[in-house]
Amino acid sequence: MRATAVRRTALAASVAALTLLATACGGSSDSDGKGGASGAGAGSGSGSGDKGGAAPKAAVKTLTAAELEKASLVQGDVKGNKIAKAGPDDQVKAEGVKVDKKECEPFAHAYLGVEQGKPVARTQRTAVSEPKKTDKGTSLEDLAEMPEGDAEDAFAAAFDLTSTLVSLSSYEAQGAPETLAVVRESAAACAGGFTITMDGDTQKIAKLVEEKVTGGDEAIGWTVVSESDGKQVPFKLVALRQSGTFATFVSFNLAATGGRAEGFGLPTAIVAAQATKLS
């Protein structure tokens, strides 16, 4: 199944899930995922103009397309993760996303990796954690011969893979701090939940739980709880600013869909590696 088909079904989460699983098997895209110098605006998440936040007014550096590309993650930057460029089929456009509450749109766009405002340059990368080693077989034959409990554990271990979509956008002037401020305000206003519709598929966000994270000049993180058929699935989102660059990190763990990934947390190693390259 193509990554695009799965992503359209599960929205933000499946971006990382399928794309990165395919990457882990040896496939990758040659696209750099850049948004260009005149990307379409993302509604109220725009990185220009006065958006009402207490945005820092310190001088910021605007990275060129070449500089942003050089600062983006590459294979080998994060131990235990395979890094690849995101392909064009994995990019979500703002016009294809509908949110039931207007004030939740900036957060929804950050969650989906949508370009916000008009960055001068943009890149996207995918990262997938390496499968955990186990002394239990994971072939169909092995699973069939295992006791039920062992089979469940082996199956969960095989799918305990965390996938992360990293989106970088470089802005002029105060675009980056303003964009982060708007996303922060949107999250605060929408902590009780909202609904996203994309290409006919609907995802209910039950709640947002803020989490502590550090990195760059300023950063904030959340657990995003998605709900479907009475089941809740956690996603992780980190928004970070380093000078004139705004970055988002959206993570999804396959095992977490069945409640088996107790250790699934914010992608701190990926965030730290990216912040270092941006500094």
Side-chain angles (χ1 to χ4, degrees):
M1 182 180 292
R2 293 180 59 200
T4 304
V6 178
R7 180 173 183 172
R8 299 303 177 187
T9 300
L11 298 179
S14 298
V15 177
L18 260 290
T19 302
L20 295 176
L21 285 177
T23 300
C25 295
S28 65
S29 169
D30 292 330
S31 170
D32 65 1
K34 293 180 181 177
S38 58
S44 59
S46 172
S48 61
D50 183 5
K51 298 301 177 181
K57 297 301 181 182
V60 298
K61 180 179 180 180
T62 302
L63 297 183
T64 65
E67 290 172 330
L68 191 66
E69 181 66 28
K70 185 176 180 180
S72 298
L73 294 175
V74 296
Q75 178 60 27
D77 282 342
V78 187
K79 184 178 180 180
N81 284 264
K82 185 166 184 177
I83 311 296
K85 293 182 179 180
D89 287 344
D90 298 307
Q91 298 170 17
V92 176
K93 302 297 184 182
E95 55 267 26
V97 177
K98 305 298 180 184
V99 185
D100 66 335
K101 300 176 182 178
K102 185 65 176 178
E103 64 271 24
C104 303
E105 187 176 87
F107 186 88
H109 286 174
Y111 174 59
L112 293 169
V114 172
E115 178 179 297
Q116 304 208 50
K118 295 184 178 180
V120 300
R122 179 170 163 84
T123 66
Q124 288 187 304
R125 296 290 187 268
T126 55
V128 63
S129 61
E130 296 175 353
K132 294 179 173 60
K133 294 182 179 180
T134 175
D135 57 359
K136 300 176 182 179
T138 54
S139 67
L140 292 177
E141 293 79 6
D142 290 330
L143 291 173
E145 294 175 1
M146 288 180 185
E148 183 176 351
D150 288 346
E152 289 180 357
D153 290 342
F155 185 83
F159 286 92
D160 189 7
L161 301 173
T162 297
S163 305
T164 303
L165 177 68
V166 183
S167 304
L168 304 182
S169 295
S170 177
Y171 294 91
E172 294 179 333
Q174 294 299 308
E178 288 173 359
T179 298
L180 180 58
V182 168
V183 171
R184 187 194 304 266
E185 292 168 2
S186 179
C190 301
F194 56 95
T195 300
I196 304 171
T197 301
M198 187 173 74
D199 295 343
D201 296 312
T202 299
Q203 182 178 17
K204 179 182 178 181
I205 304 301
K207 61 180 178 179
L208 309 178
V209 180
E210 187 173 329
E211 294 198 22
K212 183 178 180 180
V213 62
T214 59
D217 293 323
E218 52 181 332
I220 187 170
W222 300 269
T223 291
V224 182
V225 181
S226 175
E227 188 174 275
S228 178
D229 297 326
K231 296 182 179 180
Q232 293 190 337
V233 179
F235 300 91
K236 304 294 182 178
L237 170 60
V238 173
L240 174 147
R241 179 185 68 84
Q242 179 70 49
S243 193
T245 300
F246 173 72
T248 57
F249 307 77
V250 183
S251 294
F252 170 66
N253 184 285
L254 287 177
T257 61
R260 299 299 297 270
E262 290 80 5
F264 175 43
L266 296 176
T268 52
I270 297 172
V271 171
Q274 184 59 84
T276 297
K277 295 195 73 171
L278 286 170
S279 63

PDB file of all heavy atoms in Angstrom, residues 103-108 110 180-194 205 207-210 220-224 237 239:
ATOM      1  N   GLU A 103     -10.246  28.450  15.350  1.00  0.00           N
ATOM      2  CA  GLU A 103      -9.110  28.734  16.218  1.00  0.00           C
ATOM      3  C   GLU A 103      -8.145  27.551  16.333  1.00  0.00           C
ATOM      4  O   GLU A 103      -7.004  27.706  16.780  1.00  0.00           O
ATOM      5  CB  GLU A 103      -9.598  29.136  17.614  1.00  0.00           C
ATOM      6  CG  GLU A 103     -10.351  28.071  18.385  1.00  0.00           C
ATOM      7  CD  GLU A 103     -11.849  28.095  18.127  1.00  0.00           C
ATOM      8  OE1 GLU A 103     -12.262  28.594  17.050  1.00  0.00           O
ATOM      9  OE2 GLU A 103     -12.603  27.614  19.002  1.00  0.00           O
ATOM     10  N   CYS A 104      -8.588  26.368  15.929  1.00  0.00           N
ATOM     11  CA  CYS A 104      -7.741  25.173  16.008  1.00  0.00           C
ATOM     12  C   CYS A 104      -6.930  24.938  14.734  1.00  0.00           C
ATOM     13  O   CYS A 104      -6.097  24.027  14.679  1.00  0.00           O
ATOM     14  CB  CYS A 104      -8.596  23.941  16.290  1.00  0.00           C
ATOM     15  SG  CYS A 104      -9.581  24.071  17.805  1.00  0.00           S
ATOM     16  N   GLU A 105      -7.171  25.743  13.723  1.00  0.00           N
ATOM     17  CA  GLU A 105      -6.517  25.535  12.430  1.00  0.00           C
ATOM     18  C   GLU A 105      -4.987  25.601  12.495  1.00  0.00           C
ATOM     19  O   GLU A 105      -4.310  24.741  11.933  1.00  0.00           O
ATOM     20  CB  GLU A 105      -7.049  26.534  11.413  1.00  0.00           C
ATOM     21  CG  GLU A 105      -6.560  26.299   9.998  1.00  0.00           C
ATOM     22  CD  GLU A 105      -7.216  27.263   9.022  1.00  0.00           C
ATOM     23  OE1 GLU A 105      -6.669  28.371   8.853  1.00  0.00           O
ATOM     24  OE2 GLU A 105      -8.275  26.909   8.470  1.00  0.00           O
ATOM     25  N   PRO A 106      -4.387  26.601  13.170  1.00  0.00           N
ATOM     26  CA  PRO A 106      -2.924  26.635  13.217  1.00  0.00           C
ATOM     27  C   PRO A 106      -2.310  25.385  13.839  1.00  0.00           C
ATOM     28  O   PRO A 106      -1.308  24.867  13.347  1.00  0.00           O
ATOM     29  CB  PRO A 106      -2.633  27.883  14.062  1.00  0.00           C
ATOM     30  CG  PRO A 106      -3.826  28.756  13.863  1.00  0.00           C
ATOM     31  CD  PRO A 106      -4.975  27.805  13.797  1.00  0.00           C
ATOM     32  N   PHE A 107      -2.938  24.900  14.923  1.00  0.00           N
ATOM     33  CA  PHE A 107      -2.406  23.687  15.541  1.00  0.00           C
ATOM     34  C   PHE A 107      -2.586  22.489  14.612  1.00  0.00           C
ATOM     35  O   PHE A 107      -1.686  21.655  14.474  1.00  0.00           O
ATOM     36  CB  PHE A 107      -3.088  23.407  16.881  1.00  0.00           C
ATOM     37  CG  PHE A 107      -2.467  22.259  17.620  1.00  0.00           C
ATOM     38  CD1 PHE A 107      -1.392  22.471  18.476  1.00  0.00           C
ATOM     39  CD2 PHE A 107      -2.924  20.960  17.437  1.00  0.00           C
ATOM     40  CE1 PHE A 107      -0.782  21.413  19.139  1.00  0.00           C
ATOM     41  CE2 PHE A 107      -2.334  19.891  18.090  1.00  0.00           C
ATOM     42  CZ  PHE A 107      -1.253  20.115  18.947  1.00  0.00           C
ATOM     43  N   ALA A 108      -3.750  22.390  13.978  1.00  0.00           N
ATOM     44  CA  ALA A 108      -3.998  21.283  13.050  1.00  0.00           C
ATOM     45  C   ALA A 108      -2.979  21.285  11.922  1.00  0.00           C
ATOM     46  O   ALA A 108      -2.477  20.227  11.507  1.00  0.00           O
ATOM     47  CB  ALA A 108      -5.419  21.378  12.490  1.00  0.00           C
ATOM     48  N   ALA A 110       0.091  22.496  12.045  1.00  0.00           N
ATOM     49  CA  ALA A 110       1.369  22.051  12.600  1.00  0.00           C
ATOM     50  C   ALA A 110       1.368  20.532  12.755  1.00  0.00           C
ATOM     51  O   ALA A 110       2.359  19.847  12.461  1.00  0.00           O
ATOM     52  CB  ALA A 110       1.623  22.728  13.940  1.00  0.00           C
ATOM     53  N   LEU A 180       5.236  30.301  15.820  1.00  0.00           N
ATOM     54  CA  LEU A 180       5.224  29.472  17.024  1.00  0.00           C
ATOM     55  C   LEU A 180       4.221  30.012  18.044  1.00  0.00           C
ATOM     56  O   LEU A 180       3.492  29.243  18.691  1.00  0.00           O
ATOM     57  CB  LEU A 180       6.619  29.409  17.642  1.00  0.00           C
ATOM     58  CG  LEU A 180       6.744  28.564  18.921  1.00  0.00           C
ATOM     59  CD1 LEU A 180       6.299  27.134  18.659  1.00  0.00           C
ATOM     60  CD2 LEU A 180       8.171  28.578  19.438  1.00  0.00           C
ATOM     61  N   ALA A 181       4.159  31.324  18.191  1.00  0.00           N
ATOM     62  CA  ALA A 181       3.221  31.917  19.141  1.00  0.00           C
ATOM     63  C   ALA A 181       1.775  31.590  18.774  1.00  0.00           C
ATOM     64  O   ALA A 181       0.950  31.282  19.639  1.00  0.00           O
ATOM     65  CB  ALA A 181       3.421  33.431  19.188  1.00  0.00           C
ATOM     66  N   VAL A 182       1.467  31.633  17.485  1.00  0.00           N
ATOM     67  CA  VAL A 182       0.105  31.345  17.035  1.00  0.00           C
ATOM     68  C   VAL A 182      -0.245  29.880  17.277  1.00  0.00           C
ATOM     69  O   VAL A 182      -1.355  29.548  17.705  1.00  0.00           O
ATOM     70  CB  VAL A 182      -0.051  31.702  15.538  1.00  0.00           C
ATOM     71  CG1 VAL A 182      -1.355  31.144  14.992  1.00  0.00           C
ATOM     72  CG2 VAL A 182      -0.024  33.211  15.356  1.00  0.00           C
ATOM     73  N   VAL A 183       0.698  28.975  17.015  1.00  0.00           N
ATOM     74  CA  VAL A 183       0.458  27.550  17.258  1.00  0.00           C
ATOM     75  C   VAL A 183       0.253  27.294  18.749  1.00  0.00           C
ATOM     76  O   VAL A 183      -0.640  26.538  19.158  1.00  0.00           O
ATOM     77  CB  VAL A 183       1.628  26.699  16.720  1.00  0.00           C
ATOM     78  CG1 VAL A 183       1.497  25.237  17.168  1.00  0.00           C
ATOM     79  CG2 VAL A 183       1.684  26.762  15.195  1.00  0.00           C
ATOM     80  N   ARG A 184       1.048  27.949  19.568  1.00  0.00           N
ATOM     81  CA  ARG A 184       0.912  27.805  21.020  1.00  0.00           C
ATOM     82  C   ARG A 184      -0.472  28.268  21.486  1.00  0.00           C
ATOM     83  O   ARG A 184      -1.134  27.600  22.284  1.00  0.00           O
ATOM     84  CB  ARG A 184       2.001  28.617  21.722  1.00  0.00           C
ATOM     85  CG  ARG A 184       2.061  28.411  23.237  1.00  0.00           C
ATOM     86  CD  ARG A 184       2.923  29.484  23.887  1.00  0.00           C
ATOM     87  NE  ARG A 184       4.261  29.542  23.340  1.00  0.00           N
ATOM     88  CZ  ARG A 184       5.316  28.898  23.847  1.00  0.00           C
ATOM     89  NH1 ARG A 184       5.166  28.157  24.923  1.00  0.00           N
ATOM     90  NH2 ARG A 184       6.504  29.029  23.284  1.00  0.00           N
ATOM     91  N   GLU A 185      -0.908  29.419  20.998  1.00  0.00           N
ATOM     92  CA  GLU A 185      -2.215  29.963  21.373  1.00  0.00           C
ATOM     93  C   GLU A 185      -3.344  29.062  20.872  1.00  0.00           C
ATOM     94  O   GLU A 185      -4.349  28.864  21.559  1.00  0.00           O
ATOM     95  CB  GLU A 185      -2.368  31.368  20.803  1.00  0.00           C
ATOM     96  CG  GLU A 185      -1.435  32.394  21.444  1.00  0.00           C
ATOM     97  CD  GLU A 185      -1.395  33.703  20.680  1.00  0.00           C
ATOM     98  OE1 GLU A 185      -2.131  33.816  19.683  1.00  0.00           O
ATOM     99  OE2 GLU A 185      -0.636  34.604  21.081  1.00  0.00           O
ATOM    100  N   SER A 186      -3.173  28.524  19.683  1.00  0.00           N
ATOM    101  CA  SER A 186      -4.179  27.627  19.115  1.00  0.00           C
ATOM    102  C   SER A 186      -4.313  26.373  19.961  1.00  0.00           C
ATOM    103  O   SER A 186      -5.434  25.907  20.234  1.00  0.00           O
ATOM    104  CB  SER A 186      -3.782  27.254  17.682  1.00  0.00           C
ATOM    105  OG  SER A 186      -4.715  26.363  17.100  1.00  0.00           O
ATOM    106  N   ALA A 187      -3.192  25.820  20.404  1.00  0.00           N
ATOM    107  CA  ALA A 187      -3.225  24.629  21.252  1.00  0.00           C
ATOM    108  C   ALA A 187      -3.939  24.905  22.570  1.00  0.00           C
ATOM    109  O   ALA A 187      -4.740  24.097  23.053  1.00  0.00           O
ATOM    110  CB  ALA A 187      -1.810  24.140  21.518  1.00  0.00           C
ATOM    111  N   ALA A 188      -3.673  26.061  23.158  1.00  0.00           N
ATOM    112  CA  ALA A 188      -4.311  26.411  24.425  1.00  0.00           C
ATOM    113  C   ALA A 188      -5.826  26.536  24.263  1.00  0.00           C
ATOM    114  O   ALA A 188      -6.602  26.125  25.135  1.00  0.00           O
ATOM    115  CB  ALA A 188      -3.726  27.719  24.948  1.00  0.00           C
ATOM    116  N   ALA A 189      -6.243  27.087  23.131  1.00  0.00           N
ATOM    117  CA  ALA A 189      -7.670  27.276  22.880  1.00  0.00           C
ATOM    118  C   ALA A 189      -8.383  25.971  22.535  1.00  0.00           C
ATOM    119  O   ALA A 189      -9.601  25.873  22.687  1.00  0.00           O
ATOM    120  CB  ALA A 189      -7.872  28.287  21.750  1.00  0.00           C
ATOM    121  N   CYS A 190      -7.621  24.982  22.081  1.00  0.00           N
ATOM    122  CA  CYS A 190      -8.229  23.748  21.564  1.00  0.00           C
ATOM    123  C   CYS A 190      -7.841  22.507  22.358  1.00  0.00           C
ATOM    124  O   CYS A 190      -7.940  21.384  21.853  1.00  0.00           O
ATOM    125  CB  CYS A 190      -7.846  23.569  20.104  1.00  0.00           C
ATOM    126  SG  CYS A 190      -8.391  24.950  19.065  1.00  0.00           S
ATOM    127  N   ALA A 191      -7.408  22.705  23.603  1.00  0.00           N
ATOM    128  CA  ALA A 191      -6.969  21.577  24.424  1.00  0.00           C
ATOM    129  C   ALA A 191      -8.078  20.554  24.641  1.00  0.00           C
ATOM    130  O   ALA A 191      -7.814  19.370  24.851  1.00  0.00           O
ATOM    131  CB  ALA A 191      -6.454  22.085  25.774  1.00  0.00           C
ATOM    132  N   GLY A 192      -9.333  21.003  24.570  1.00  0.00           N
ATOM    133  CA  GLY A 192     -10.461  20.105  24.784  1.00  0.00           C
ATOM    134  C   GLY A 192     -10.853  19.284  23.585  1.00  0.00           C
ATOM    135  O   GLY A 192     -11.761  18.435  23.676  1.00  0.00           O
ATOM    136  N   GLY A 193     -10.192  19.498  22.449  1.00  0.00           N
ATOM    137  CA  GLY A 193     -10.457  18.681  21.271  1.00  0.00           C
ATOM    138  C   GLY A 193     -11.072  19.429  20.107  1.00  0.00           C
ATOM    139  O   GLY A 193     -11.610  20.525  20.267  1.00  0.00           O
ATOM    140  N   PHE A 194     -10.981  18.827  18.936  1.00  0.00           N
ATOM    141  CA  PHE A 194     -11.539  19.377  17.702  1.00  0.00           C
ATOM    142  C   PHE A 194     -11.521  18.272  16.655  1.00  0.00           C
ATOM    143  O   PHE A 194     -11.073  17.146  16.917  1.00  0.00           O
ATOM    144  CB  PHE A 194     -10.742  20.602  17.226  1.00  0.00           C
ATOM    145  CG  PHE A 194      -9.269  20.337  17.017  1.00  0.00           C
ATOM    146  CD1 PHE A 194      -8.769  20.019  15.760  1.00  0.00           C
ATOM    147  CD2 PHE A 194      -8.374  20.400  18.083  1.00  0.00           C
ATOM    148  CE1 PHE A 194      -7.415  19.782  15.570  1.00  0.00           C
ATOM    149  CE2 PHE A 194      -7.019  20.176  17.901  1.00  0.00           C
ATOM    150  CZ  PHE A 194      -6.530  19.857  16.639  1.00  0.00           C
ATOM    151  N   ILE A 205      -9.774  14.730  17.296  1.00  0.00           N
ATOM    152  CA  ILE A 205      -8.750  14.942  18.306  1.00  0.00           C
ATOM    153  C   ILE A 205      -9.475  15.115  19.634  1.00  0.00           C
ATOM    154  O   ILE A 205     -10.207  16.081  19.827  1.00  0.00           O
ATOM    155  CB  ILE A 205      -7.890  16.180  17.992  1.00  0.00           C
ATOM    156  CG1 ILE A 205      -7.262  16.064  16.603  1.00  0.00           C
ATOM    157  CG2 ILE A 205      -6.817  16.354  19.058  1.00  0.00           C
ATOM    158  CD1 ILE A 205      -6.381  14.855  16.403  1.00  0.00           C
ATOM    159  N   LYS A 207      -8.150  15.356  22.821  1.00  0.00           N
ATOM    160  CA  LYS A 207      -7.567  16.335  23.736  1.00  0.00           C
ATOM    161  C   LYS A 207      -6.093  16.546  23.416  1.00  0.00           C
ATOM    162  O   LYS A 207      -5.461  15.726  22.739  1.00  0.00           O
ATOM    163  CB  LYS A 207      -7.709  15.880  25.195  1.00  0.00           C
ATOM    164  CG  LYS A 207      -6.996  14.565  25.505  1.00  0.00           C
ATOM    165  CD  LYS A 207      -7.189  14.172  26.967  1.00  0.00           C
ATOM    166  CE  LYS A 207      -6.524  12.833  27.283  1.00  0.00           C
ATOM    167  NZ  LYS A 207      -6.697  12.450  28.708  1.00  0.00           N
ATOM    168  N   LEU A 208      -5.559  17.655  23.904  1.00  0.00           N
ATOM    169  CA  LEU A 208      -4.147  17.974  23.791  1.00  0.00           C
ATOM    170  C   LEU A 208      -3.586  18.099  25.203  1.00  0.00           C
ATOM    171  O   LEU A 208      -4.161  18.775  26.045  1.00  0.00           O
ATOM    172  CB  LEU A 208      -3.940  19.306  23.050  1.00  0.00           C
ATOM    173  CG  LEU A 208      -4.650  19.479  21.705  1.00  0.00           C
ATOM    174  CD1 LEU A 208      -4.355  20.872  21.147  1.00  0.00           C
ATOM    175  CD2 LEU A 208      -4.216  18.404  20.721  1.00  0.00           C
ATOM    176  N   VAL A 209      -2.473  17.427  25.434  1.00  0.00           N
ATOM    177  CA  VAL A 209      -1.829  17.481  26.745  1.00  0.00           C
ATOM    178  C   VAL A 209      -0.425  18.053  26.558  1.00  0.00           C
ATOM    179  O   VAL A 209       0.413  17.460  25.880  1.00  0.00           O
ATOM    180  CB  VAL A 209      -1.741  16.084  27.389  1.00  0.00           C
ATOM    181  CG1 VAL A 209      -1.064  16.184  28.755  1.00  0.00           C
ATOM    182  CG2 VAL A 209      -3.123  15.456  27.509  1.00  0.00           C
ATOM    183  N   GLU A 210      -0.182  19.221  27.143  1.00  0.00           N
ATOM    184  CA  GLU A 210       1.122  19.852  26.975  1.00  0.00           C
ATOM    185  C   GLU A 210       2.200  19.061  27.729  1.00  0.00           C
ATOM    186  O   GLU A 210       1.971  18.572  28.832  1.00  0.00           O
ATOM    187  CB  GLU A 210       1.074  21.292  27.483  1.00  0.00           C
ATOM    188  CG  GLU A 210       2.342  22.083  27.188  1.00  0.00           C
ATOM    189  CD  GLU A 210       2.217  23.558  27.540  1.00  0.00           C
ATOM    190  OE1 GLU A 210       1.089  24.100  27.443  1.00  0.00           O
ATOM    191  OE2 GLU A 210       3.247  24.160  27.910  1.00  0.00           O
ATOM    192  N   ILE A 220       7.953  23.833  22.508  1.00  0.00           N
ATOM    193  CA  ILE A 220       6.807  23.362  23.278  1.00  0.00           C
ATOM    194  C   ILE A 220       6.362  22.032  22.678  1.00  0.00           C
ATOM    195  O   ILE A 220       6.500  21.803  21.471  1.00  0.00           O
ATOM    196  CB  ILE A 220       5.655  24.398  23.258  1.00  0.00           C
ATOM    197  CG1 ILE A 220       4.537  23.978  24.202  1.00  0.00           C
ATOM    198  CG2 ILE A 220       5.148  24.631  21.844  1.00  0.00           C
ATOM    199  CD1 ILE A 220       3.490  25.072  24.425  1.00  0.00           C
ATOM    200  N   GLY A 221       5.859  21.132  23.528  1.00  0.00           N
ATOM    201  CA  GLY A 221       5.439  19.823  23.056  1.00  0.00           C
ATOM    202  C   GLY A 221       4.068  19.437  23.568  1.00  0.00           C
ATOM    203  O   GLY A 221       3.587  19.983  24.578  1.00  0.00           O
ATOM    204  N   TRP A 222       3.434  18.487  22.891  1.00  0.00           N
ATOM    205  CA  TRP A 222       2.115  18.000  23.283  1.00  0.00           C
ATOM    206  C   TRP A 222       1.989  16.510  22.996  1.00  0.00           C
ATOM    207  O   TRP A 222       2.608  15.984  22.070  1.00  0.00           O
ATOM    208  CB  TRP A 222       1.007  18.693  22.492  1.00  0.00           C
ATOM    209  CG  TRP A 222       0.917  20.169  22.623  1.00  0.00           C
ATOM    210  CD1 TRP A 222       0.172  20.884  23.535  1.00  0.00           C
ATOM    211  CD2 TRP A 222       1.576  21.146  21.808  1.00  0.00           C
ATOM    212  NE1 TRP A 222       0.332  22.224  23.336  1.00  0.00           N
ATOM    213  CE2 TRP A 222       1.188  22.423  22.281  1.00  0.00           C
ATOM    214  CE3 TRP A 222       2.460  21.058  20.731  1.00  0.00           C
ATOM    215  CZ2 TRP A 222       1.651  23.604  21.707  1.00  0.00           C
ATOM    216  CZ3 TRP A 222       2.936  22.226  20.164  1.00  0.00           C
ATOM    217  CH2 TRP A 222       2.536  23.478  20.648  1.00  0.00           C
ATOM    218  N   THR A 223       1.150  15.853  23.774  1.00  0.00           N
ATOM    219  CA  THR A 223       0.593  14.571  23.373  1.00  0.00           C
ATOM    220  C   THR A 223      -0.756  14.874  22.759  1.00  0.00           C
ATOM    221  O   THR A 223      -1.592  15.540  23.382  1.00  0.00           O
ATOM    222  CB  THR A 223       0.422  13.623  24.573  1.00  0.00           C
ATOM    223  OG1 THR A 223       1.711  13.236  25.047  1.00  0.00           O
ATOM    224  CG2 THR A 223      -0.332  12.365  24.164  1.00  0.00           C
ATOM    225  N   VAL A 224      -0.948  14.442  21.526  1.00  0.00           N
ATOM    226  CA  VAL A 224      -2.201  14.663  20.807  1.00  0.00           C
ATOM    227  C   VAL A 224      -2.967  13.345  20.829  1.00  0.00           C
ATOM    228  O   VAL A 224      -2.511  12.347  20.266  1.00  0.00           O
ATOM    229  CB  VAL A 224      -1.934  15.101  19.355  1.00  0.00           C
ATOM    230  CG1 VAL A 224      -3.247  15.378  18.633  1.00  0.00           C
ATOM    231  CG2 VAL A 224      -1.030  16.327  19.326  1.00  0.00           C
ATOM    232  N   LEU A 237       3.736  15.797  19.285  1.00  0.00           N
ATOM    233  CA  LEU A 237       4.056  16.952  18.449  1.00  0.00           C
ATOM    234  C   LEU A 237       4.960  17.901  19.224  1.00  0.00           C
ATOM    235  O   LEU A 237       4.650  18.263  20.363  1.00  0.00           O
ATOM    236  CB  LEU A 237       2.775  17.680  18.031  1.00  0.00           C
ATOM    237  CG  LEU A 237       2.938  19.056  17.355  1.00  0.00           C
ATOM    238  CD1 LEU A 237       3.747  18.944  16.074  1.00  0.00           C
ATOM    239  CD2 LEU A 237       1.578  19.683  17.064  1.00  0.00           C
ATOM    240  N   ALA A 239       6.874  21.662  18.622  1.00  0.00           N
ATOM    241  CA  ALA A 239       7.083  22.851  17.798  1.00  0.00           C
ATOM    242  C   ALA A 239       8.285  23.593  18.372  1.00  0.00           C
ATOM    243  O   ALA A 239       8.346  23.826  19.578  1.00  0.00           O
ATOM    244  CB  ALA A 239       5.842  23.742  17.807  1.00  0.00           C
TER     245      ALA A 239
END
